[in-house]
Amino acid sequence: MNKLLVLLTLAAVAIGAGCKKGLDRTSFGVLSPVNFPKTEAEFETYALEVYKPFGSKWSYSDGGTNQFLWHGMEWSNTFLNDLPSDLIASFPEWGGYWTEMSAANFLPRINHGADGHFQKTRFITRITKIIADIEAASISDAKKKQLVTEARMARGWLMYYLYTLYGTVPVILDASKIGTEAEADLTRPDKASFVAAAAEDLRYAADNLVKTPAEYGRFNKGIALGVLMRLYLFDKNYQQAEAVGREIIAMGYNLINNYQDLFRVATEKNDETIWAVSVDPAGDGTGAKGNFNAWGFYTYPSDYPGMLSSGARKGGYSNPSSFTATWAFYDSFDPLDKRRALLITTYNAVNSAGNPTGVVKTRANLRGPVIAKYPDDDATAFQGNDIPVLRYADVLLMMAEAINGHAGPNSEAIGFMNTVRARAGLGNLPAASTASKEAFAAAILQERAWELYFEGFRRIDLMRFGKWNEYLQAAGKTPNPAGANGYFPIPQYVLSAGNGKIQQNDGY
């Protein structure tokens, strides 16, 4: 386990003053703020708490409430953005929220409790308190700037994720308001001020982080710029997004030759992956251990044979798997597209002991192709593959989108697209795909599906391009409610506590 993972485990004991839990103040631990943190090392541990939402575990404890992580398994960015999309087949076998989410039925999320992501507004308050404590600390200016920078990165990133999930949400960004009646004011801020505050945090982080931190897994300059670029695109601020994208391009990232190597343990550190969740091969999803990657259990059917000769892992949790690509998505690929190779269309089934059953799974008896983006090639209980969160290919596609958004399909924007396609073994875009701003936008959205499937982007992409309802309906799903346009509802417990100050999202 690397140093950062060890420190993150220690950070679970950090304590601060009261913040919102629902709407009630709560204590975050048993250590007294009178004696912790005091030293520079203690502030280091204290500040590392800001990383908790961005790891990959089953959940983390926040003031006695279990919270899901953005890059974990269930209720992660992949669960929220890919499962309820046109690329993934509906999955009714487990019932409950699996049936609802895979069908893009968000209406029941009104009753999501305090374990839902809206509670991340409370974590933002927590980060605001951490920032204030660091700024008042008697530690070196260099350490102070480093820790404040990481905290502001986390706060801006949380605001971006919440913005794409709920729209604007009430947040506490001024530490003097913590513990006052301001915490009970659930009035939603206007869009301009919310986006500006998130952008300010991310800009500060980008200006003060380095490309390659000494400890792998810490926030870096690239991820700060990447999230800022995503924020501007979601807000349709195309010129600002383009400017940020040019900063990333100037940093010297490159596409690697083999697409599949991006997701393999042996080649997970490369020139294309800008930031990934650092996975501990010994991790099991519990708080005492590092991040883990359990996606194989969700994407491989239970009768899928392990790729390892030792048979360390054979198949996943269900049959069919809970994340199965649709045949329509598979058929949308050019047969020459190398990225399609990670969608498996046939295999020889095995039983629970790993022995062949004689049944051959093909298109005739599979709900859809098996997603093999994280290959089963690491001999651990869970996979050891790091989980990419931002790749240079994504930046190139976002650059094409940003330029097209304000200038149309010029040669530079088309070139960015063709660079990504060339790595996939494809030729340049046909003329019809670049004939107009609308045609090029459709081509960008399609290319993002082929390049970034099962990496946690699709719902946000469809919302950003204004295609949420149209594309889901074309895939045989009926978004509920259609008027929400991909947004989740504000939970009822928040509405009840808000005394009319917080308004429900459209459509609910």
Side-chain angles (χ1 to χ4, degrees), residues 23-293:
L23 294 178
D24 299 324
R25 297 181 66 198
T26 185
S27 172
F28 281 84
V30 295
L31 295 177
S32 169
V34 173
N35 54 43
F36 180 89
K38 291 296 182 185
T39 69
E40 192 164 282
E42 288 174 346
F43 270 100
E44 173 90 14
T45 300
Y46 178 60
L48 279 171
E49 187 176 354
V50 305
Y51 280 88
K52 287 202 302 186
F54 304 102
S56 179
K57 297 184 181 181
W58 294 123
S59 63
Y60 66 90
S61 180
D62 184 21
T65 302
N66 283 334
Q67 294 289 305
F68 294 101
L69 295 88
W70 288 116
H71 307 129
M73 303 298 114
E74 296 184 22
W75 300 111
S76 67
N77 63 323
T78 302
F79 184 96
L80 295 167
N81 298 327
D82 287 339
L83 183 63
S85 79
D86 56 327
L87 310 184
I88 304 296
S90 294
F91 179 70
E93 278 75 9
W94 286 348
Y97 60 78
W98 281 93
T99 297
E100 296 158 0
M101 289 294 293
S102 67
N105 177 13
F106 296 163
L107 190 61
R109 295 304 101 217
I110 291 177
N111 296 317
H112 212 154
D115 61 341
H117 284 300
F118 196 91
Q119 280 288 93
K120 298 297 189 299
T121 58
R122 174 176 175 258
F123 201 92
I124 288 174
T125 306
R126 174 73 176 134
I127 295 175
T128 298
K129 178 65 167 63
I130 289 173
I131 291 171
D133 288 345
I134 295 169
E135 290 176 335
S138 298
I139 59 177
S140 70
D141 289 343
K143 178 59 68 173
K144 187 178 294 189
K145 174 166 272 192
Q146 174 208 333
L147 299 181
V148 167
T149 297
E150 291 177 306
R152 292 190 67 174
M153 172 66 210
R155 189 170 66 179
W157 200 353
L158 284 178
M159 291 178 70
Y160 164 74
Y161 272 139
L162 290 170
Y163 185 48
T164 63
L165 199 57
Y166 302 106
T168 66
V169 294
V171 291
I172 300 285
L173 306 178
D174 180 352
S176 69
K177 295 181 179 180
I178 298 174
T180 72
E181 290 303 313
E183 289 196 47
D185 184 0
L186 295 184
T187 303
R188 301 177 76 165
D190 65 89
K191 186 175 77 168
S193 62
F194 186 90
V195 171
E200 183 180 354
D201 272 347
L202 294 168
R203 183 72 259 177
Y204 182 91
D207 290 342
N208 291 286
L209 290 169
V210 297
K211 178 181 178 180
T212 307
E215 292 170 350
Y216 176 74
R218 282 189 181 268
F219 299 143
N220 60 32
K221 185 180 186 71
I223 188 62
L225 289 170
V227 177
L228 181 59
M229 189 179 188
R230 289 172 181 171
L231 174 69
Y232 283 140
L233 281 180
F234 196 78
D235 203 41
K236 301 190 183 307
N237 190 337
Y238 298 116
Q239 289 178 303
Q240 287 278 46
E242 179 189 342
V244 173
R246 293 195 185 282
E247 290 186 68
I248 302 175
I249 290 173
M251 292 177 68
Y253 296 103
N254 293 288
L255 300 186
I256 65 172
N257 291 329
N258 188 351
Y259 179 77
Q260 298 183 35
D261 284 346
L262 290 161
F263 311 100
R264 291 182 171 134
V265 174
T267 48
E268 60 192 9
K269 295 179 182 179
N270 54 72
D271 289 339
E272 180 174 345
T273 299
I274 297 173
W275 195 85
V277 176
S278 177
V279 170
D280 180 1
D284 61 4
T286 64
K289 295 186 178 181
N291 295 315
F292 81 138
N293 185 343

Side-chain angles (χ1 to χ4, degrees), residues 259-458:
Y259 179 77
Q260 298 183 35
D261 284 346
L262 290 161
F263 311 100
R264 291 182 171 134
V265 174
T267 48
E268 60 192 9
K269 295 179 182 179
N270 54 72
D271 289 339
E272 180 174 345
T273 299
I274 297 173
W275 195 85
V277 176
S278 177
V279 170
D280 180 1
D284 61 4
T286 64
K289 295 186 178 181
N291 295 315
F292 81 138
N293 185 343
W295 279 125
F297 291 102
Y298 291 89
T299 61
Y300 294 113
S302 57
D303 63 354
Y304 190 85
M307 293 173 64
L308 294 171
S309 59
S310 63
R313 242 186 347 265
K314 294 178 286 292
Y317 290 144
S318 64
N319 191 9
S321 56
S322 50
F323 280 84
T324 301
T326 66
W327 287 114
F329 177 52
Y330 180 84
D331 292 339
S332 72
F333 281 86
D334 187 307
L336 298 177
D337 196 324
K338 297 175 183 178
R339 297 168 296 193
R340 194 179 71 165
L342 294 181
L343 296 174
I344 309 300
T345 61
T346 183
Y347 64 89
N348 296 314
V350 298
N351 59 24
S352 59
N355 299 318
T357 63
V359 175
V360 179
K361 289 297 187 75
T362 67
R363 188 164 184 152
N365 52 10
L366 285 172
R367 178 172 293 168
V370 175
I371 301 171
K373 210 155 195 181
Y374 294 107
D376 181 17
D377 61 359
D378 190 45
T380 57
F382 294 97
Q383 292 165 282
N385 321 61
D386 282 359
I387 303 173
V389 175
L390 177 64
R391 299 194 282 108
Y392 189 57
D394 183 15
V395 173
L396 294 179
L397 295 178
M398 288 194 291
M399 277 295 290
E401 179 184 345
I403 294 170
N404 187 56
H406 72 86
N410 64 25
S411 60
E412 184 184 32
I414 296 168
F416 288 136
M417 283 275 286
N418 287 335
T419 297
V420 174
R421 290 172 58 83
R423 195 260 301 273
L426 302 177
N428 291 343
L429 283 169
S433 295
T434 62
S436 68
K437 181 181 287 190
E438 294 73 24
F440 192 43
I444 294 169
L445 183 57
Q446 181 63 75
E447 200 69 43
R448 289 185 64 81
W450 291 329
E451 177 70 27
L452 300 166
Y453 66 92
F454 197 67
E455 293 184 51
F457 296 105
R458 189 59 173 176

